[in-house]
Amino acid sequence: MNKIVKSVFLASILFSHQALALTLSEARQQGRVGETLSGYVAPIKQDKETLALVKSINEARAENYQKLADSNNISANQVAELAGQKLVARAQPGEYVRGINGQWMKK
């Protein structure tokens, strides 16, 4: 499982630096998106640029979660949940995370 978590973080870092008008890092810092326990980012702001970024990031994460799941004989949901726990825990101060109650919290 530790190998899976490391792979997920490596993939997340790669996707945060895609050549998009808005990067994941910028969106996090600006309070436009937040990490969730599901392993996916969710929009806080509902503008077109933010929604496009969220869609792109989540599609890439889903592909990677599936690849990791296939190679480790577990479900993609299990991989996503493991990643979500780590991503929420590692969110930087000032960034938003969605708690188990579904509410956004600023770290």
Side-chain angles (χ1 to χ4, degrees):
M1 290 286 179
N2 199 16
K3 180 181 173 186
I4 295 170
V5 173
K6 287 180 183 177
S7 298
V8 169
F9 287 120
L10 191 58
S12 295
I13 289 169
L14 292 174
F15 295 119
S16 68
H17 296 291
Q18 289 179 333
L20 297 170
L22 176 69
T23 67
L24 179 56
S25 180
E26 290 169 340
R28 285 178 180 147
Q29 291 170 355
Q30 295 171 13
R32 296 168 80 164
V33 301
E35 291 292 344
T36 68
L37 292 170
S38 69
Y40 297 95
V41 292
I44 297 170
K45 307 288 184 192
Q46 299 297 315
D47 62 276
K48 186 176 180 177
E49 190 176 29
T50 299
L51 295 175
L53 175 70
V54 167
K55 181 179 182 213
S56 174
I57 296 296
N58 286 342
E59 286 174 353
R61 284 185 180 185
E63 286 179 31
N64 279 307
Y65 294 161
Q66 188 60 58
K67 287 177 187 174
L68 288 167
D70 292 344
S71 65
N72 288 283
N73 238 6
I74 60 175
S75 75
N77 284 341
Q78 288 174 301
V79 174
E81 288 176 6
L82 285 170
Q85 291 170 7
K86 295 292 184 179
L87 290 165
V88 166
R90 291 189 179 188
Q92 298 298 307
E95 294 179 354
Y96 285 91
V97 296
R98 186 178 285 159
I100 57 174
N101 63 359
Q103 299 297 311
W104 288 110
M105 300 178 292
K106 195 173 194 178
K107 277 192 113 178

